[in-house]
Amino acid sequence: PEPVSPSEVAGERRTLLEFLDFHRLVLLRKGEGLTPDQLRARLGPSTLTIGRLIRHMTFVEDFWFHETFAGHATLEPWSSAPWDEDPDWEMTTADGSTFEQLRADFEAACARSRAIVDVIDDLATAAQNTSRGRLVSLRWILVHMIEEYARHCGHADFLRESIDARVG
C-alpha cells in the first residue's frame, strides 16, 4: 500500500503512530519489485543495501518493542544469532533474500510491535527491560523509531535511485 501522510491535526499518540507507520511503509516501498541481486546492490564503499536495511529494521522493531519495552525474551532468529562472530548479522543475513521473505518477516515484527503498543494508554509508561542500564518510556521509543526509520529511508532513497532511477 501507498504510505499515507500523517494527519496534521491529530493528538500526540496518533501523530507518533502515524509517522512511524508512514516510515515503515516508505522503507518497504523502496524494496518493492527488486530482485535479490538488486536488494543487495551497494552504493560506493558502503555496505548498506535495501535488503539489509529492511532486515535491520525487522531486528530493531523486535529489539525495542518486544524485548526492551515489553520485557519479553529475545525472539528467533535473533536469540541464537552469532553476534560475536558477526555484529551486523541481521544485515549480512539479508543477502540473497527475496523481497517477499524480507517483507514477511518485517511485517510480522511490525505487527508484534503494534500489538504491544496498542494496549498501552500512557506514552510515559516505562520499558520493562532495563538491562541496558537505562529507563526509557514508550514515547521515547516511538520518537527514536521514527528517527531511525527516517534516517534509513533516506539511505534507501539513494540506494533505490542508484538501482533503477526510481525516486519518491
Side-chain angles (χ1 to χ4, degrees), residues 86-105:
D86 183 0
D88 294 325
W89 183 87
E90 88 280 11
M91 290 192 185
T92 58
T93 56
D95 295 349
S97 295
T98 66
F99 176 70
E100 291 73 24
Q101 293 166 324
L102 294 169
R103 180 180 56 203
D105 291 344

Side-chain angles (χ1 to χ4, degrees), residues 2 4 6 18 31-32 39 46 49 55 69-70 79-80 83 116 120 139 141-143 147 152 156 159:
E2 284 291 312
V4 176
E18 285 182 1
E32 285 179 347
L39 284 166
S46 174
T49 69
R55 180 78 164 167
F69 183 74
S79 65
S80 62
W83 298 108
I116 289 165
I120 304 299
R139 178 183 293 105
I141 292 171
L142 291 170
V143 171
E147 174 272 328
H152 291 323
L159 288 162

